[in-house]
Amino acid sequence: MDDSDKIEAAVFRRLLAHLDSRKDAQNIDLMNLAGFCRNCLSKWYMAAADDAGLEVDYDKARERVYGMPYDQWKLKYQTSATDESMAAFEKAKSE
């Protein structure tokens, strides 16, 4: 692993730690503001594993990103999306 890979890995770990400290930042909010969410990161994690010739399933990728099994995170931290946030999400998808 070269220095840039080490730096990028450290940045990813810091991003996950930051998201973990901001459980109030719901996925719908992240999608509306930034165009990606924790589930997107999980899919990117799986794709990177695949590129490296490794197999990581979606549940394991989500557990890495969420810091716990997704179903457990959902029960503890996920709130219902508001009508306004869902409308913003649908609008962004159509643009």
Side-chain angles (χ1 to χ4, degrees):
M1 181 182 297
D2 66 20
D3 287 341
S4 65
D5 288 340
K6 291 177 186 175
I7 292 166
E8 290 168 6
V11 168
F12 179 70
R13 288 189 297 272
R14 189 166 183 177
L15 172 62
L16 293 182
H18 180 74
L19 288 172
D20 189 51
S21 74
R22 291 298 312 266
K23 291 178 177 77
D24 61 310
Q26 296 292 304
N27 283 335
I28 189 74
D29 301 325
L30 293 170
M31 286 298 294
N32 287 339
L33 292 170
F36 78 97
C37 69
R38 292 171 182 88
N39 291 324
C40 297
L41 285 174
S42 300
K43 291 173 185 174
W44 299 342
Y45 189 91
M46 280 183 9
D50 187 58
D51 289 347
L54 304 169
E55 188 174 328
V56 175
D57 71 25
Y58 191 42
D59 289 334
K60 288 295 179 192
R62 279 176 146 178
E63 189 168 339
R64 176 69 178 109
V65 170
Y66 284 89
M68 65 184 67
Y70 177 65
D71 290 339
Q72 182 181 348
W73 193 94
K74 253 174 76 168
L75 286 172
K76 289 178 84 170
Y77 303 109
Q78 185 167 310
T79 60
S80 296
T82 65
D83 291 340
E84 294 82 12
S85 62
M86 286 305 297
F89 178 72
E90 291 302 324
K91 181 181 178 200
K93 277 190 350 185
S94 67
E95 293 177 349

